């Protein structure tokens, strides 16, 4: 077929800071998906977008083109409303695990089509795969059945949703072009809009462990995504939340499942409970349900949904979680109150211990990770345990210890404030 544009014209236009037309954008995304635009050309364009940006209209058109590259789902035949959450990714961010069954316990269906982790932030599917027997791949019929009962499903996003994004995200990952707001916003929102959820709450992370290191950048990303969702007819809001320190006290696949179950049993760390309840309130409200989500955490109703949800995907909610074969504890060399614990260092250490993968084909260790004994606000004396490292491969301890060196800061007094920094709607 005769192509209406040449890739090089589009690359030079964006390199020179020009706006791309609707037709140019639609063709670019489609031609890249078809293999007509080569990876090296798309890499150059992604860098030009990274450097020169795109305006709201261009981002909306780019997002639409990525949605149109594949299939879309439609949950309007369900007997209940749908509401979903997406986090831009952080260290110890296991919130989806307690959140999905909590929201479902109020009669709002949660279609969580998720991915596996790459780099220092863990993937939801990797965490759930630590549960014996649990299965991430479901057919569309199974997804619909589970959304009716028990009401929440966390599973692998099928290859058919936004295939242009899959190809482009892998390319961005190896060409230094991930952290561009137009590309992150269109990547996330194309998948969520294609997924067909009625309402969407975004958890946009800010801090060392997140893509966005400062609040202004995070606010711009949140605003861009909320506008994209709203323009596409998805009720979308965003919370900006702190990712300067890890969430909770357990980092790693099985360890994060364990901490999520503590939260579902009415306990767990205060920051995880705060964020789970706040996101649940937003998800329910966007679906037209006003409730205090803390209630169903306390009375066990969310736990009932969790158990059914795990069993429905062949997991055993009572199975003992895998443990790593080796542990090593790092102790404090000084006394004081913990005033900082760097999220990125903890995330990279956990990754180096085997909890994450460097390439998408790599396996992950279910039991690997980090238990935090001293978090922000905790008082320690020299010799007290700070963290325990877990791995199946002793050779990994040294590199994990290296990155944790300097991760803690101490002061005379400190406390962990609210993890919720702002709301965008
Ligand atoms: N997550 C995504 O799905 N895409 C991005 O570009 C960044 C984070």
């Amino acid at each position: 077929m005769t192509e209406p544009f040449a890739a090089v014209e589009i690359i030079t236009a964006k390199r020179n800071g020009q706006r791309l037309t609707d037709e140019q954008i639609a063709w670019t995304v489609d031609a890249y998906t078809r293999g007509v635009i080569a990876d090296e050309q798309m890499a150059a364009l992604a860098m030009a977008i990274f450097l020169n940006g795109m305006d709201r209209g261009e981002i909306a058109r780019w997002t639409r083109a990525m949605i149109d590259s594949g299939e879309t789902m439609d949950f309007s035949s369900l007997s209940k409303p749908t509401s979903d959450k997406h986090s831009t990714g952080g260290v110890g961010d296991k919130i989806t695990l307690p959140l999905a069954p909590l929201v479902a316990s109020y009669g709002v269906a949660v279609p969580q089509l998720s991915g596996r982790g790459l780099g220092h932030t863990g993937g939801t599917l990797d965490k759930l795969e630590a549960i014996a027997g649990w299965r991430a791949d479901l057919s569309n019929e199974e997804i619909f059945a589970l959304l009716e009962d028990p009401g929440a499903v966390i599973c692998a996003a099928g290859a058919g949703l936004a295939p242009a994004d899959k190809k482009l995200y892998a390319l961005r990952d190896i060409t230094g072009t991930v952290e561009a707001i137009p590309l992150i916003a269109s990547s996330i929102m194309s998948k969520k809009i294609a997924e067909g959820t009625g309402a969407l709450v975004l958890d946009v992370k800010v801090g060392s462990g997140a893509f966005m290191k400062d609040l202004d950048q995070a606010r711009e990303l949140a605003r861009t995504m909320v506008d994209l969702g709203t323009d596409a007819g998805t009720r979308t809001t965003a919370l900006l939340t702190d990712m300067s320190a890890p969430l909770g006290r357990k980092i790693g696949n099985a360890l994060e499942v364990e901490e999520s179950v503590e939260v579902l049993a009415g306990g767990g760390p205060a920051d995880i409970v705060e964020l789970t309840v706040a996101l649940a309130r937003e998800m329910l409200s966007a679906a037209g349900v006003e409730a205090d989500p803390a209630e169903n955490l306390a009375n066990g109703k969310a736990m009932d949904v969790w158990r059914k949800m795990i069993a429905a995907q062949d997991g055993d909610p009572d199975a003992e979680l895998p443990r790593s074969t080796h542990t090593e504890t790092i102790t404090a060399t000084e006394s004081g109150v913990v005033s900082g614990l760097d999220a990125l260092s903890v995330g990279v250490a956990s990754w180096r211990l085997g909890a994450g993968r460097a390439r998408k084909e790599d396996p992950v260790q279910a039991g690997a990770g980090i238990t935090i004994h001293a978090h922000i606000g905790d008082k320690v004396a020299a010799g007290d345990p700070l963290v325990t490292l877990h791995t199946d491969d002793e050779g990994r301890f040294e590199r994990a210890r290296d990155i944790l060196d300097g991760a803690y800061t101490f002061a005379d007094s400190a406390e962990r404030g609210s993890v919720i920094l702002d709301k965008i709607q």
Side-chain angles (χ1 to χ4, degrees):
M1 101 189 220
T2 322
E3 302 293 338
F5 300 100
V8 68
E9 289 166 20
I10 291 176
I11 299 165
T12 42
K14 191 41 85 182
R15 184 200 65 193
N16 295 341
Q18 289 165 20
R19 187 179 188 284
L20 300 180
T21 64
D22 287 358
E23 294 72 25
Q24 284 175 320
I25 291 173
W27 176 77
T28 299
V29 173
D30 177 55
Y32 181 56
T33 313
R34 288 187 284 122
V36 168
I37 294 183
D39 274 345
E40 56 270 29
Q41 293 177 307
M42 193 53 143
L45 180 60
M47 187 59 83
I49 293 170
F50 182 100
L51 296 171
N52 290 329
M54 291 205 283
D55 70 19
R56 182 171 171 173
E58 287 177 290
I59 302 173
R61 191 65 195 86
W62 188 277
T63 306
R64 173 48 55 193
M66 297 226 286
I67 297 167
D68 292 344
S69 73
E71 64 190 38
T72 53
M73 308 218 13
D74 178 2
F75 295 124
S76 57
S77 62
L78 287 178
S79 67
K80 39 181 144 176
T82 49
S83 197
D84 194 8
K85 182 238 20 168
H86 180 85
S87 156
T88 56
V91 178
D93 184 3
K94 72 275 296 169
I95 303 293
T96 294
L97 274 52
L99 179 65
L102 176 60
V103 171
S105 72
Y106 290 92
V108 172
V110 183
Q112 257 287 328
L113 307 190
S114 302
R116 291 193 165 72
L118 193 62
H120 73 276
T121 62
T124 300
L125 302 181
D126 296 319
K127 294 171 198 183
L128 286 167
E129 279 172 344
I131 301 173
W134 189 84
R135 185 166 59 92
D137 291 310
L138 301 181
S139 66
N140 282 357
E141 292 69 37
E142 286 176 305
I143 294 174
F144 274 80
L146 294 183
L147 287 172
E148 287 293 353
D149 184 37
V153 60
I154 304 176
C155 66
L161 286 184
D165 176 63
K166 285 205 176 61
K167 201 172 166 191
L168 180 55
Y169 195 18
L171 182 73
R172 288 165 55 213
D173 200 41
I174 54 167
T175 55
T177 50
V178 168
E179 294 89 347
I181 288 177
L183 297 177
I184 299 176
S186 55
S187 165
I188 292 174
M189 294 307 293
S190 62
K191 286 175 285 202
K192 287 293 158 185
I193 295 167
E195 175 196 281
T197 182
L200 176 66
V201 178
L202 299 160
D203 178 1
V204 179
K205 303 285 187 199
V206 194
S208 82
F211 286 126
M212 298 292 128
K213 310 291 179 201
D214 74 65
L215 198 55
D216 285 344
Q217 275 183 320
R219 213 175 256 127
E220 188 186 335
L221 175 61
R223 177 85 269 151
T224 307
M225 291 196 290
V226 168
D227 289 346
L228 284 173
T230 307
D231 289 351
T234 309
R235 285 180 304 285
T236 310
T237 55
L239 295 183
L240 299 185
T241 72
D242 181 44
M243 189 29 69
S244 57
L247 272 174
R249 288 178 179 263
K250 295 181 182 176
I251 322 297
N253 300 310
L255 289 165
E256 294 193 33
V257 173
E258 195 173 271
E259 192 166 67
S260 302
V261 172
E262 288 165 24
V263 171
L264 288 161
D271 55 352
I272 302 283
V273 176
E274 181 197 19
L275 190 49
T276 304
V277 169
L279 288 166
R281 187 173 285 118
E282 294 296 328
M283 286 169 72
L284 290 170
S285 164
V289 175
E290 298 305 327
D292 176 10
E295 279 176 16
N296 283 5
L297 277 184
N299 63 21
K301 288 191 179 161
M303 177 69 102
D304 292 343
V305 177
W306 161 264
R307 293 178 60 80
K308 281 197 200 167
M309 184 182 115
I310 296 302
Q313 285 171 242
D314 301 334
D316 176 358
D318 296 313
E320 207 161 302
L321 288 163
R323 299 245 165 232
S324 65
T325 49
H326 296 87
T327 59
E328 192 174 288
T329 296
I330 299 178
T331 55
T333 52
E334 56 183 301
S335 302
V337 176
V338 178
S339 55
L341 175 55
D342 182 56
L344 182 61
S345 308
V346 174
V348 173
S350 173
W351 177 32
R352 289 184 178 176
L353 289 165
R357 50 172 73 77
R359 288 168 310 160
K360 65 181 188 322
E361 324 53 65
D362 293 347
V364 294
Q365 292 179 25
I370 296 182
T371 335
I372 299 169
H373 306 292
H375 210 311
I376 295 175
D378 292 343
K379 200 166 173 210
V380 294
D384 283 352
L386 293 177
V387 292
T388 296
L389 314 182
H390 306 251
T391 181
D392 294 334
D393 173 5
E394 272 180 295
R396 291 174 177 259
F397 281 133
E398 191 181 339
R399 281 182 22 88
R401 269 196 318 267
D402 284 350
I403 186 90
L404 286 170
D405 194 25
Y408 272 94
T409 47
F410 299 93
D412 292 337
S413 67
E415 62 182 75
R416 179 104 155 109
S418 169
V419 290
I420 297 159
L421 307 174
D422 203 356
K423 177 173 164 177
I424 309 274
Q425 55 189 355

